[in-house]
Amino acid sequence: MLDPDLLHKLTGVGAAAMVALLTTPSLSHAWKSKTLFGRYGYAAINKNSYEDADGVATEDSIREFSDTRPRVCTAVAVVVGTGVHVATKVLFTPHVSDWESWTELACWILLCIQLVCLPPKHHYDAKFRLTVCGLISSLAITALVALLHGFEALELVSGSESTREEKVHGLLLLLQFLSAFAAAFGFAAFPRRPDVYEESGLVDQQHTLSLLRLFSFSWNQVVFDVAKERKMEIQDIPNLDYITRSKNLEARFLKNRREGLPLWKQLIRTYTPELVLQWALTLVVAVLALFPQVVLYNFLSRIENNHGHTSTDPTVFIWVLGLLLSQLLQVGVNNWIRWITTTRLEIPVGSLLQSLVFNKALKQYETAPPGENEGKDSKNKPDGDKKSPGSKPKEVETRQSVINHMKLDSSRVTIFCMYNNNFPMAIFKLIFAGGFCISLMGWLPVVSGLAAATLMIPLSSLLSKKYTALHFGLMKYRDSKANILTEVLSGMRQIRYSALEQHWEDKIIQSRNEELKQYWKVAIWQCMVVFIVNMGPLLLASVTFLIYVWQNGTHIKASVIFTSLGLFDQLDEAVALLPLLQTYMLEAWTSAVRLEKYFSQTDKQPVSQPGETVVFDNATVAWPRIEDLDKVEEDPTEQREAHSMLRKVNLEFPAGKLSLISGKTGSGKSLLLAAILGEVKLVDGQIKMPTLPEFDHNAKSIPESDWIIPELTAFVSQTPWIESGTVKENVVFGLPFVEDRYRKVLAACALEKDIELLVDGDETEVGPKGVTLSGGQRWRTALARALYSRAGILVLDDVLSAVDAHVGRLIVDEALTGELAKGKTRILATHHAELVLPHASYYVVLHAGRVESVQRLSPTETRISESLSDTTLTADTSSDQENGLGTVSDKKKKKTSAQDEESRETGRVKWKVYKAYYKASGGAIPWIVGVLILLFGHFLSVSRAWSLKELADQASTSALRFTVQASMSDYHFTANAKEYGSGDWSWGHGIYFWLGVYLAIDFSILVVQIIRVMTFFVVGLKASKILFHNMVHAILRAPLRWIDTVPAGRILNRFTSDFFMVDRRLSSQTFTFIRSVMFLAVIIATSLSVSVYVIFFGIFLFTLYIQISRIYIDAAREVKRINSVSHSPIYDQFSSVLSGLSTIRAFDRTKFYMDRMYGLIDNSSKASWALQLSGRWMAVRMGVLGALFVAVVANAVAFSGTDASLAGFSLAFALRYTNALTSLLQAMTSLELGFNACERVLEYAEIETEPEDGLDATAAWPTEGKIEVENLTIRYADDLPPVLKNLTFNVGAGERIGIVGRTGAGKSTLAAVFFRLLDPVTGSVRIDNVDISTLKLSQLRSRLAIIPQDPFLFSGTLRSNLDMEGQLEDYDLLSSLQRVHLIEPVQDPDRPAVYPPASSSVVTATTTLPQVDSEPETDPMTEIDAEPTFIEPEAELNTPKENTNIFTNLSTPISTGGANLSQGQRQLVCLARALLKRPKIVVLDEATSAVDRGTDSNIQESLRGEFAAAGCTVLVIAHRLSTVADFDRLLVLDKGRVAEMGTPRDLLEAGMRSAAEKARKQQDDQTDGATQVLDSDVESEEVGGTGAFWELVQKSAEKDKLLEMVLGANQEKLMKEIFGETADEV
């Protein structure tokens, strides 16, 4: 052993050398005073500015930055310390040698040099590094003074025989120690840099403030301050630092990526430094966890050896001090390992995976219709297409599956990041604790125990494999449920119209029950795995004790028993977390496999080659399918016979000109446009496109001359894509705002009047998918976005179908051929060819997947619309959309959309939330059972402690009842609670009896633990099941206004993330809280025999804990709520982008949306960051207070001189009290934060729903179909003006009524009233003399039928969409498809149709205008006449044999929303579905707007005969007046009122006579004015006047056809009779 004097000398020399080495950087910096050393991006620029990778400092933050206080503190401490040392050396003969004294002086002098050499405050990085050197130097001096003078100082100060001079000497030595410590404190208090900001937000201050604030987790004070003052917002939380931002994380991962490596290996390779640090700290924790056991053993041994006389033994106090320091280190390292795990692994990996998933999604095809089903569905098995999630041979990636990758799979991988260090922890503790056990008990007992424990490993492995397989199945069931929920939310309008709420509720609940059934299996197997794994520690302790007792008999020491119990507890805690680790590892493995499979899919391949113009060279294209991504087709035609294809296309669209594409519904128009955009599979041939040059997407200003980029494309899809935001944001689309261009675009798209009537003008929030706009407004907004863009190539898919005729004319004249379109390549697919043909230079006609004809035309310059006054474009206060939120407001002030930000509660979780969960879980009985199980578990713990006490008493009369519990784990399946009693009463049994009792109780505790876990699971599952059902029921019956304004991602977040918490966490958290309360009560009950001073410290500690927990919970509650709602915008944005992917890619905006997603992910991450930081803030403070309390009690025991049993009991109480109270407060916090998820679920489960009461209609109602509307007034909300005003009209039984009017007149609103989607303010609607407001909604809606303007089909097959209930035969379904002309007539002599199908030829007897789909071939240089030659449809090419009609196969798969069908095909399928219901009243809301005119004519003729034979009342809302020109009567709406109603002929004649009369009056009054009959201002007429229908006819592109249809052969005669000489002009 080294001589103490030599040891002191070596220590002094070593400390001096260290301080000298640490002084070198200070001297170097002083020598190079003008040189700044940058590191990790942190480098000062000058005195007035600072910028690093994290952000930029503002002038205010630089001005507020100060290091004066720490400089003064450090200077005072160093000067005082140096002076005291010199004074001590001069005044007193040093106890140590001169050599050691001089080394101390050298250290102080070197520290003074470091202080003097500190650079000015604006040398931020260099100064901070030098303060770190000063801190280490100060700590070295502190340790040196303590080692050399510690005992001497305490002895001189506290010694009763010390002289005054000696006491002064001792005080000076203590002052020197305190000065060194104060110097360390001062160096640690130097701030690092000024506050920096990134995008105007404060960056997290972890790298800004001092080391003192860093180590105490005190740099988040801003969060606590805001939580105390007001409701916290996401902007109040500081932004992430540079290395944690998702964009930089992705760049780092891709930089280190190696092809061919599995995903999990890629992640390990990328995060190797973080993992190494995490495992290194785990090693430190394992060593520190062993130290209390060493202290305990030595402490108890001293008590045993001194027989209670410990107050005079200074070694005891050394061990007490060691216990305090070890616990403080444990607190620090444990919290830092948690912090590093969360902020350097969990949050970054989660952000990385979410970024990668979204990035991958941007590179894939937007729509990949599912492949053919295996086999055909039987007509008697309507659900035959539904398979269990695991039954498909190849998984199809649906949109929701992709979202699940982002939401669930990424979270499971990150959870494993948090718990992975439990594996090395178990190994380290096994080595250290096992080695210490061997030193205490011998090798034979420990090795025998370990051998017994290893027997469980093979069985555990087998169970784990089964558990893995079950968990894979569970994931698929969850995906299936999420897919159904997503589809239901997307098709809610169709569900509501068809009264299918209960059908879909049953379907969702069935999927949920399948998930819970699988979850139950997973839970049972999980418990089995836990039981087997926990048998290992039990066998370890049992066998070890058995062998130890057998070897030593009565020579058993209490110190060995209780120390070994503490070591077994450590092994128990480490091993007990292995099942949880195994669970998380398997879940992470499952998710990693799924993610890797997704990432390995082939990206969308470019299909075009560089060219001057848009050219198709013998190209064959098809819609992409998922199964095509991994293979090359040998025979693509055969593979795709059930999918749309375009074959052998040879086209060359002229640059800078307007090209027109037309063709029948389903002929391939949308596919051709998609091919131009590259959104197809190129099977053969070539497609050439102009190459897009590089340009600045983020330019703040663009010269007008450089605005247009000829090679850039813009796209308006058939279903216009509108994202959440304002109208202005949707039009500008991220480009610089140019007022003049913006106003021209609005005028060209006829949006000016619409915007004026919106609540906040162009700043009005349009809501998710643009729900606050009507269908026509959405289409025009999408067109405006294309016109405003920089694109030189405009690809437009039928932008004219959803607008009125007069608006369509204006769009053609201004938007498609006006100033904004000049010089641009415009490619338009439409059914309204006659509007555009005079302007077209290139005309393509498609038929059955082939190009039927191509014509080069010479466009005329004649405008079709002569002049359109502003009055023709005036929209109305009503909207054509049932949810019309955009209405007139007298107060033109900016409003914040209530649905823009997700609402969240404030303050504590309300008691009603706990009560609702308690009620849903089954009431009192399950909770009483759970509490009784907990009580029994505590009783067993106390009994186990009693058995050990008796065992020790039998072995030795001085046995000590003691154990240590020092667990920092948050959750495990083992009970470490052991209660100990005291007393001299003996039961009179031997050692082996009590050993047997101990083993039996230990095994019983394990069984009770499993029962407890299963009980928690059952209670939680029951509550979760009921809450899920309530929420599904409420969402399916919520008002459509609510559904339209709440993003689907927000609802899905509650169905997935929040229910994941409710399923798995809430019940266990609740019972853990109850268990902690009971455990604390048991400890307090046993404290009655303890010293009153211990109770006093306990009360004092409890008071401090309450204060800390109050501060923490106030902040954590707010941050947790923000964290909960911060996920929804990610999923909303993801869903929105996936639905508009082709539009985004066409505009070349993928980078913009990727950057936006980075921001949303970072917002979510910083909320998690703040929550974890708050938790570490609390844990550090509680851990420090607990360590101090243990030290106080240990000192009290040492000073009191009590015997071993009382000392052990007191220390056991102290340790148990600290842990129990900490666990209680953590459980309380976790419970409240966990119930935040329940609170969010209940918020949606308790929303206001549509009424479910009412009368039952008679079985045959309605029998006639008669409708009476009386004084009907409708408004969307109480604070909004009426939309329909005093409507009164009657519809006779079997009548066909056409409802017409301008955009915004209230046509679709009226249709919604019939289905009670809106309730009248006044008035009533009666059907067959029954007031519909008195009926049950399900009865009303199921008896009526509607085909909406935006049809929606559900994923499945054609059969499942036509017949959801599975009650009809195939013949009926095919006949219905035949009636809507989706398939050719099916001749079946045995099964004649109920109504004969109409002829498939186009009726042309009264038609003079050309059919769109049958234009003749013309010479390229020939100018088109106004009336080209008409060709009958029979002359068209026959459908090629290889292009099989997909609708003849009822098993044809339909993707979500009908995405693999065109808009027109979807409308026709919905129409066929309505025909199958055979309703008495049918409402068609623009049901054939996307169908070509020829097919529309055929359908109308077919429906005419169909409905006439059935006596149906038909209400048709139409923009295309020819659709309703031959109806029985027309209802003309204007500004929400009935303008006129009558037969088409009566209305037309009355309108013409009124117009003629008005013209004659104008001639009489204004002899010098020109005749302006056509543009008369009808809007100024009083409602109820005549002329509204005539005005609509005037502005229609079909005017001549309409006149002939309505007036017939007497047209010319009648016109001359009314208008006289001006008839020809009219």
Side-chain angles (χ1 to χ4, degrees), residues 500-640:
L500 293 171
E501 294 93 343
Q502 193 59 48
H503 169 79
W504 282 99
E505 181 178 334
D506 295 340
K507 197 169 183 178
I508 294 172
I509 296 301
Q510 178 185 359
S511 177
R512 169 70 170 172
N513 290 337
E514 291 173 352
E515 177 198 359
L516 294 182
K517 184 178 178 181
Q518 185 75 3
Y519 190 25
W520 175 253
K521 294 179 182 177
V522 170
I524 292 176
W525 280 91
Q526 181 178 341
C527 285
M528 293 174 64
V529 172
V530 169
F531 181 82
I532 295 301
V533 172
N534 278 274
M535 278 294 294
L538 188 147
L539 290 175
L540 171 63
S542 302
V543 174
T544 303
F545 267 129
L546 185 63
I547 301 297
Y548 176 70
V549 171
W550 172 70
Q551 276 188 330
N552 294 276
T554 58
H555 301 287
I556 300 174
K557 291 184 179 181
S559 57
V560 173
I561 289 178
F562 292 111
T563 302
S564 61
L565 278 177
L567 295 171
F568 291 149
D569 284 343
Q570 287 197 23
L571 291 174
D572 196 12
E573 291 160 10
V575 178
L577 283 172
L578 290 180
L580 191 64
L581 175 65
Q582 190 174 33
T583 300
Y584 288 141
M585 183 178 69
L586 295 175
E587 290 180 352
W589 175 261
T590 304
S591 295
V593 170
R594 287 159 48 87
L595 286 169
E596 186 176 351
K597 179 181 177 183
Y598 174 65
F599 292 145
S600 63
Q601 290 181 0
T602 306
D603 294 337
K604 182 179 77 71
Q605 300 298 315
V607 299
S608 62
Q609 298 179 2
E612 296 297 325
T613 59
V614 181
V615 176
F616 286 75
D617 183 8
N618 203 32
T620 299
V621 296
W623 290 114
R625 299 176 299 179
I626 287 293
E627 52 266 38
D628 298 332
L629 301 181
D630 301 325
K631 66 177 186 293
V632 178
E633 297 172 1
E634 296 178 359
D635 188 356
T637 303
E638 181 179 354
Q639 292 280 343
R640 297 174 181 272

Side-chain angles (χ1 to χ4, degrees), residues 851-1160:
V851 177
E852 183 179 65
S853 65
V854 179
Q855 303 174 40
R856 293 188 180 273
L857 310 175
S858 296
T860 65
E861 297 300 325
T862 306
R863 293 288 180 100
I864 294 179
S865 60
E866 312 235 339
S867 64
L868 292 175
S869 64
D870 287 345
T871 57
T872 64
L873 301 177
T874 302
D876 195 52
T877 59
S878 66
S879 168
D880 266 1
Q881 201 69 7
E882 289 73 15
N883 54 343
L885 300 175
T887 56
V888 174
S889 174
D890 295 332
K891 300 178 181 179
K892 285 284 183 177
K893 62 181 181 179
K894 175 68 181 169
K895 295 184 180 179
T896 301
S897 174
Q899 289 78 22
D900 188 31
E901 293 185 5
E902 187 171 1
S903 62
R904 64 179 194 273
E905 297 289 338
T906 58
R908 293 184 176 275
V909 175
K910 306 300 184 294
W911 277 108
K912 67 176 184 179
V913 178
Y914 298 103
K915 185 177 179 181
Y917 185 79
Y918 165 80
K919 183 178 179 181
S921 62
I925 294 179
W927 290 96
I928 291 174
V929 172
V931 170
L932 290 176
I933 292 174
L934 290 175
L935 283 172
F936 185 62
H938 285 305
F939 170 76
L940 288 177
S941 297
V942 174
S943 300
R944 179 173 64 175
W946 184 269
S947 66
L948 287 174
K949 169 208 174 278
E950 292 296 328
L951 173 64
D953 281 345
Q954 291 296 327
S956 173
T957 57
S958 61
L960 177 66
R961 285 74 175 165
F962 181 76
T963 190
V964 170
Q965 183 184 38
S967 169
M968 295 303 294
S969 61
D970 290 332
Y971 177 78
H972 51 83
F973 287 108
T974 62
N976 294 313
K978 310 173 188 68
E979 299 304 326
Y980 297 92
S982 62
D984 297 327
W985 183 52
S986 175
W987 289 58
H989 295 286
I991 292 175
Y992 289 102
F993 171 81
W994 290 112
L995 181 60
V997 170
Y998 168 78
L999 298 179
I1001 294 176
D1002 223 12
F1003 182 80
S1004 300
I1005 288 176
L1006 178 56
V1007 175
V1008 170
Q1009 287 168 359
I1010 300 301
I1011 296 174
R1012 186 188 72 214
V1013 171
M1014 294 303 298
T1015 304
F1016 296 173
F1017 176 78
V1018 171
V1019 173
L1021 205 59
K1022 184 173 182 180
S1024 176
K1025 189 174 183 179
I1026 291 177
L1027 291 175
F1028 186 89
H1029 182 272
N1030 292 344
M1031 185 168 163
V1032 168
H1033 186 86
I1035 294 295
L1036 284 173
R1037 289 160 180 81
L1040 267 184
R1041 178 184 171 87
W1042 186 90
I1043 292 292
D1044 287 336
T1045 52
V1046 176
R1050 194 172 295 172
I1051 302 174
L1052 283 173
N1053 190 28
R1054 309 213 177 187
F1055 270 120
T1056 51
S1057 300
D1058 289 325
F1059 262 104
F1060 180 79
M1061 177 70 73
V1062 174
D1063 286 345
R1064 296 191 58 174
R1065 303 283 175 82
L1066 268 193
S1067 60
S1068 62
Q1069 287 176 344
T1070 305
F1071 277 109
T1072 300
F1073 172 73
I1074 297 173
R1075 181 185 174 204
S1076 299
V1077 172
M1078 294 171 60
F1079 187 36
L1080 188 62
V1082 169
I1083 293 176
I1084 293 175
T1086 58
S1087 69
L1088 297 177
S1089 61
V1090 180
S1091 170
V1092 67
Y1093 297 106
V1094 176
I1095 295 178
F1096 169 76
F1097 280 115
I1099 296 173
F1100 176 70
L1101 187 61
F1102 181 78
T1103 305
L1104 292 176
Y1105 274 10
I1106 290 297
Q1107 184 66 24
I1108 292 173
S1109 64
R1110 183 183 293 116
I1111 298 173
Y1112 165 69
I1113 291 177
D1114 287 342
R1117 183 194 300 121
E1118 290 296 312
V1119 176
K1120 176 62 177 177
R1121 283 173 172 150
I1122 291 177
N1123 189 39
S1124 299
V1125 301
S1126 66
H1127 302 307
S1128 299
I1130 297 176
Y1131 310 136
D1132 291 340
Q1133 180 73 14
F1134 205 172
S1135 300
S1136 174
V1137 168
L1138 287 179
S1139 64
L1141 199 51
S1142 59
T1143 301
I1144 291 170
R1145 284 200 287 243
F1147 280 84
D1148 196 32
R1149 298 289 288 169
T1150 52
K1151 184 179 183 299
F1152 171 81
Y1153 281 93
M1154 192 68 237
D1155 290 340
R1156 179 184 286 183
M1157 180 58 71
Y1158 287 142
L1160 294 174

Side-chain angles (χ1 to χ4, degrees), residues 298 302-303 305-306 309-319 1198:
N298 287 278
R302 290 288 178 177
I303 293 177
N305 296 335
N306 295 327
H309 303 290
T310 57
S311 58
T312 58
D313 188 354
T315 312
V316 172
F317 295 100
I318 295 177
W319 289 115

